[in-house]
Amino acid sequence: MTSQIQNQAMKSIRCPSALHVPAQFCRELVASLGKLKLRLQEKYERTLPGRDQLVRQAIDEAEALAWQTTFPHLFLPDLAEARLAEIVAALEPPFARAA
């Protein structure tokens, strides 16, 4: 399953040809991001028990945004945290936020 995800990610990576980025670097980046996503998922699933699907969705959305940057591995954790904060805030009853 992981190799399928990595293969799909490799197809979506657009390493600029002007930079002459080696294919091996792209493979390592995809693998590293996969590991990072798993660590983030484990962390946030412990923080938000019973919200596994929401956590995965938020991290997937953050990853999509991270790939639009020059350094996706650096932006992914912050983007995931921000997206999860938005989701949690939307789930809380309005009166709980006012307190």
Side-chain angles (χ1 to χ4, degrees), residues 23-33:
Q24 180 62 29
F25 174 79
C26 290
R27 282 191 291 276
E28 289 174 10
L29 180 60
V30 169
S32 294
L33 272 172

Side-chain angles (χ1 to χ4, degrees), residues 14-98:
R14 294 191 181 119
C15 292
S17 58
L19 296 177
H20 304 290
V21 177
Q24 180 62 29
F25 174 79
C26 290
R27 282 191 291 276
E28 289 174 10
L29 180 60
V30 169
S32 294
L33 272 172
K35 291 175 186 174
L36 177 57
K37 278 181 65 176
L38 287 175
R39 288 195 311 268
L40 289 169
Q41 188 172 328
E42 290 169 358
K43 172 186 172 183
Y44 289 116
E45 286 176 354
R46 282 191 308 270
T47 305
L48 301 166
R51 309 279 179 150
D52 299 357
Q53 183 61 34
L54 287 175
V55 168
R56 277 186 240 115
Q57 177 185 347
I59 292 174
D60 287 344
E61 291 171 5
E63 181 187 23
L65 287 174
W67 275 114
Q68 295 176 22
T69 70
T70 308
F71 303 103
H73 58 294
L74 297 178
F75 286 98
L76 178 58
D78 289 337
L79 291 169
E81 185 173 342
R83 183 64 186 124
L84 282 164
E86 290 173 358
I87 290 173
V88 168
L91 294 173
E92 292 178 355
F95 58 87
R97 282 185 265 159

